[in-house]
Amino acid sequence: MNKSHPPSPGTSFPEGQVDSLLSIISSQRERFRARNQELEGENRMMQHTVHALQSELDNLRADNIKLYEKIKFLQSYPGRGGSRDDTEQRYSSQYEERLDPFSSFSRKERQRKYLSLSPWDKATLSMGRLILSNKTARTVAFFYTLFLHCLVFLVLYKTAWSESVGRDCAAYCAKKYADHVHKFHENGDAGDMWQ
């Protein structure tokens, strides 16, 4: 009953077996290295091909959009045909979609956010849009705001000036009273003052 046990770390392989294992591992490493270099080369070629195809696709898409813009320009002239074939309709929809692919999403999101606003916020937003969309409204809003600021400034200035004048007047009257009392009632006959 002699079972073969794997060699323990402390035991050594015979010399021929070590050379055999070393040559097998070395050849396997060289095969993997060669395969890795081959795959990296293929990867670089694929990336180059993908980049070239993507740039060609972008160029073709830009050319199609330019051609469709020219078609729309030519159709804007009076007397030019209004007939549209299937190809033109297909490119028309692609043109509209690719011009701004997120426009419909953006519109829906804007509508959803607008509907979630409170009535006060909706009124404020509508008023802001109204003012910002019209040059006359912007001018009126600017001068109205300027007028309100000037009015507030003048009211505050008048209030401060009135209070200052009142304080100065009270101080002046108190000083005159003190001078009068000192001048005419020096000896302390305050009782004669009320008679």
Side-chain angles (χ1 to χ4, degrees), residues 92-162:
S92 170
S93 63
Q94 288 180 359
Y95 169 76
E96 297 298 330
E97 287 174 6
R98 291 186 178 160
L99 189 61
D100 187 10
F102 300 108
S103 64
S104 64
F105 173 76
S106 177
R107 266 185 264 118
K108 288 177 184 175
E109 191 67 19
R110 219 177 295 129
Q111 183 67 19
R112 185 186 64 79
K113 286 184 180 180
Y114 180 77
L115 292 174
S116 69
L117 290 175
S118 69
W120 306 111
D121 291 335
K122 287 180 183 178
T124 303
L125 182 62
S126 299
M127 191 63 125
R129 284 181 182 167
L130 174 74
I131 291 172
L132 292 176
S133 67
N134 188 345
K135 183 178 180 184
T136 306
R138 284 192 303 266
T139 305
V140 168
F142 172 75
F143 284 112
Y144 178 72
T145 305
L146 187 68
F147 171 74
L148 284 181
H149 279 80
C150 290
L151 183 67
V152 168
F153 175 74
L154 289 173
V155 167
L156 289 176
Y157 180 75
K158 172 140 179 39
T159 303
W161 184 78
S162 298

